[in-house]
Each structure stands twice: as structure tokens, then as C-alpha cells.
């Protein structure tokens, strides 16, 4: 089953549902909140009081208590640049608020099968299942919730695309020739399967990029195309700094080969634009574009590995 519903979709569903008294009362009861309290303030994607990352839905109740809600469908927990998993961040944020005299609790909101399978579920102060909220939803909201529950229950099995599989196999072979120091992550799908919508090649960071002390562990990828940007690109991404992308000066070494800074989700993307690649066409028909992308990736790799001062200045400036 392909992934068609994302946590941002159910985030929006629940945020809208909190305007409904019946839904709010049921959620608060399931979260262990005594009756009679209402929501004073709701903030989506609120920053954690400590550490990086964000709280999916932060709620302040009428008596001042805070609820820090992490919404999951079927994704793994993310990890901060300091190596903290999401459950640890929520626990740290609750402790920080309590130290300030603010009553707080963390709540994991997810389908029942996720709550039962997650070894981290007990790290949260409360857990609320999608299924237990279903009776107070209706119409398109309930349909979306049902689809999310089904998705969580169904193992991910990408629809194989022969052209995509051939393209990526040939791309890996070309990378070994053009950029031999760049190590690419193995195909996450078994038997060389690639779905039609696969457009990203992930770089093996430990095998390709230097780990600078006190600098966040980056991610690196090569995109065949990017529907959210004006061009395909290669990027090294530093988590949690995307909001500063337009404020930080571009490092001189990065600018030398037309690199620039841009937001990449919540990350800061050290980016080089590259030609768009067509995964449905033979790689041999696109060799100049393929080689340009690989050469850009090699330049970006060399910059990161040889520019400690610039990278430290970039992170310190953020």
C-alpha cells in the first residue's frame, strides 16, 4: 500500500475538530484531563521549550495546564541533531514546564495498532487512539481518519515500476564512476523495486561526510526533480534551521560553485541546483544532466568535508 495520507493531513483534521465541544471533551477525557476544562489556546507546530523540533499540537487549557501532543500515523520517530528521539524531547519539555510551575503532560495520538506496537508509547504521559475519537467525527473528517487507520494497519508495499528500477540501478553505477567518494544509501525496497513516485537518491552520510564536533549531523540527498522548487537539486540539510535560511549569509566556499541556502522543510538546505532528471527515460539519454548532478554532489561533499570554519560559522549564526 502506497503512503497517501501524511501526519500533516491528520494534524489539520484534529486542529479543526478541536473547535467542536464534543470532540474536545472526548479527547480531554481520554487524555486523563478532569472534566470542566476547556481549551484556551491551540498552537500547531509549536517549538519545544527545550531542544530543537516542534510539538505537533500544543494546547493550553483554561486552568493553565499544557498538553503537548505528538501525532503519528505510521512514521518512525524523528531524531534531533543532538541524537534525541521525539519521546525524549517531549519528556524534556514537560519537565522544563513543570520546573517553571506549569502543569504539563505529553500525549501520543495515533492509531491503536501504532500505540500497541510502539515501544516508546509509554514514554508519553497519555495515549489516545484514533479509533477512540472516531465516534465524535463525521463526514469527510471520519473518512480521512478511517483511511489513516487503514494505512497504519497495512504494510507499505510500493507499486513496482520497471523504468524507475532501471534508472536508479544505472544511476548508482554511474555514481561509482563519476563520484566514487560519494556513498549512496541502499535501495530501501527489496529486490530493487522502485515506485513511480521515487525521485530521491539518499546519500550515506557517515560514509560520505565528515562529522564535525558540536555540529548537527546533516542529511544529504540528490533529487531527480522537486515539485516544491524551481529546479532539481543536491542538498546537505541541517535540521531545525530552515527558518533562518533567508537571513544567514551564504558561505563563501559554497557560493563558489553556485551553492546557496534555502529552507528544506524545517531544515537549512545547503543547495546546488541541478538539471531535472526523468526517471522514466533511460539514463543513457540523459548523461550530461546525470553527470552534472553527480559533479554538483561531489562539490558539495568536498565543501562540507573541507570547510569546518564556514560550517561552524553557519551553525553559530543560526
Amino acid at each position: 500500500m502506497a503512503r497517501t495520507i501524511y501526519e500533516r493531513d491528520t494534524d489539520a483534521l484534529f486542529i479543526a475538530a478541536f473547535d467542536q465541544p464534543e470532540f474536545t471533551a472526548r479527547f480531554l477525557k481520554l487524555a486523563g484531563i478532569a472534566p470542566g476544562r476547556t481549551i484556551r489556546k491551540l498552537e500547531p507546530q509549536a517549538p519545544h521549550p527545550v531542544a530543537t523540533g516542534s510539538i505537533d499540537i500544543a494546547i493550553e487549557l483554561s486552568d493553565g495546564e499544557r498538553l503537548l501532543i505528538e501525532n503519528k500515523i505510521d512514521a518512525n520517530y524523528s531524531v534531533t541533531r543532538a541524537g534525541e528521539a521525539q519521546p525524549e524531547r517531549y519528556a524534556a519539555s514537560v519537565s522544563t514546564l513543570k520546573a517553571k510551575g506549569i502543569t504539563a503532560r505529553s500525549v501520543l495520538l495515533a492509531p491503536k495498532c501504532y500505540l500497541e506496537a510502539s515501544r516508546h508509547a509509554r514514554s508519553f504521559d497519555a495515549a489516545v487512539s484514533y479509533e477512540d475519537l472516531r465516534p465524535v467525527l463525521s463526514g469527510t473528517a471520519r473518512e480521512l481518519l478511517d483511511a489513516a487507520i487503514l494505512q497504519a494497519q497495512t504494510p507499505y508495499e510500493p507499486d513496482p515500476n520497471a523504468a524507475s528500477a532501471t534508472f536508479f540501478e544505472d544511476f548508482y553505477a554511474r555514481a561509482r564512476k563519476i563520484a566514487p567518494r560519494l556513498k549512496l544509501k541502499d535501495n530501501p525496497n527489496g529486490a530493487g523495486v522502485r515506485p513511480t513516485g521515487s525521485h530521491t537518491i539518499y546519500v550515506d552520510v557517515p560514509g560520505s561526510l565528515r562529522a564535525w564536533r558540536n555540529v548537527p549531523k546533516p542529511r544529504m540527498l540528490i533529487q531527480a526533480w522537486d515539485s516544491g522548487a524551481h529546479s532539481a537539486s543536491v542538498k546537505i540539510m541541517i535540521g531545525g534551521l530552515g527558518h533562518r535560511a533567508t537571513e544567514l549569509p551564504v558561505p563563501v566556499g559554497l557560493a563558489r560553485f553556485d551553492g546557496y541556502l534555502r529552507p528544506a522543510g524545517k531544515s537549512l538546505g545547503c543547495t546546488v541546483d541541478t538539471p531535472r532528471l526523468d526517471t522514466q527515460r533511460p539514463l543513457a539519454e540523459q548523461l550530461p544532466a546525470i553527470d552534472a548532478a553527480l559533479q554538483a554532489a561531489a562539490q558539495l561533499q568536498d565543501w562540507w568535508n573541507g570547510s569546518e570554519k564556514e560550517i561552524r560559522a553557519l551553525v553559530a549564526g543560526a
Side-chain angles (χ1 to χ4, degrees):
M1 179 178 180
R3 269 38 198 154
T4 58
I5 300 171
Y6 299 93
E7 283 157 9
R8 62 176 178 267
D9 300 320
T10 51
D11 281 349
L13 183 160
F14 295 128
I15 289 167
F18 276 119
D19 285 335
Q20 304 168 19
E22 187 180 7
F23 177 90
T24 298
R26 187 175 185 87
F27 178 88
L28 295 181
K29 180 179 180 180
L30 291 167
I33 304 299
R37 286 183 264 182
T38 57
I39 294 176
R40 178 188 297 166
K41 180 182 178 182
L42 184 152
E43 183 179 2
Q45 297 303 313
H48 273 282
V50 293
T52 56
S54 58
I55 300 162
D56 286 337
I57 306 173
I59 287 176
E60 180 179 341
L61 298 177
S62 51
D63 64 349
E65 181 171 358
R66 308 289 178 83
L67 303 183
L68 314 184
I69 302 170
E70 171 64 17
N71 175 38
K72 286 290 186 188
I73 299 175
D74 50 14
N76 293 326
Y77 293 107
S78 66
V79 178
T80 69
R81 62 193 187 190
E84 293 176 318
Q86 280 177 320
E88 296 169 356
R89 273 176 277 167
Y90 276 85
S93 292
V94 168
S95 295
T96 298
L97 291 171
K98 287 182 176 179
K100 296 178 180 179
I102 301 171
T103 304
R105 71 181 68 191
S106 59
V107 182
L108 178 58
L109 175 58
K112 189 172 295 183
C113 65
Y114 190 99
L115 298 178
E116 292 172 347
S118 174
R119 59 189 173 89
H120 292 292
R122 292 182 182 178
S123 300
F124 290 82
D125 298 312
V128 176
S129 75
Y130 282 17
E131 287 85 347
D132 284 338
L133 295 171
R134 188 178 182 276
V136 289
L137 293 171
S138 60
T140 56
R142 181 182 284 190
E143 291 172 5
L144 176 58
L145 193 74
D146 286 345
I149 292 169
L150 177 61
Q151 178 172 295
Q153 294 170 342
T154 309
Y156 173 54
E157 296 177 356
D159 295 327
N161 180 295
S164 293
T166 300
F167 175 89
F168 281 100
E169 182 179 352
D170 292 346
F171 186 97
Y172 275 58
R174 189 69 177 176
R176 289 191 290 270
K177 179 178 180 179
I178 302 299
R181 290 178 291 103
L182 196 69
K183 308 303 179 186
L184 304 181
K185 284 189 175 181
D186 294 336
N187 185 349
N189 307 307
V193 170
R194 288 279 184 172
T196 305
S198 183
H199 300 111
T200 303
I201 301 98
Y202 294 93
V203 174
D204 176 6
V205 166
S208 302
L209 302 181
R210 291 191 63 172
W212 300 113
R213 190 168 59 87
N214 297 326
V215 169
K217 181 182 177 181
R219 293 184 296 142
M220 184 176 181
L221 54 82
I222 304 167
Q223 290 183 288
W225 68 281
D226 184 351
S227 60
H230 65 277
S231 173
S233 63
V234 296
K235 289 193 285 289
I236 292 177
M237 297 175 291
I238 306 172
L241 305 181
H243 64 291
R244 297 296 309 280
T246 59
E247 304 169 14
L248 294 170
V250 179
V252 173
L254 181 63
R256 285 198 182 104
F257 53 96
D258 297 325
Y260 64 99
L261 303 177
R262 56 164 281 196
K266 295 178 184 177
S267 299
L268 175 67
C270 303
T271 307
V272 183
D273 288 342
T274 55
R276 179 170 173 171
L277 310 177
D278 188 346
T279 61
Q280 303 305 295
R281 287 175 53 209
L283 183 135
E285 297 177 2
Q286 308 175 70
L287 282 183
I290 299 289
D291 289 355
L294 288 168
Q295 288 161 4
Q299 285 181 304
L300 196 58
Q301 177 190 27
D302 288 343
W303 168 74
W304 179 275
N305 289 342
S307 305
E308 181 178 6
K309 287 185 178 179
E310 286 194 349
I311 293 162
R312 288 192 183 283
L314 190 65
V315 173

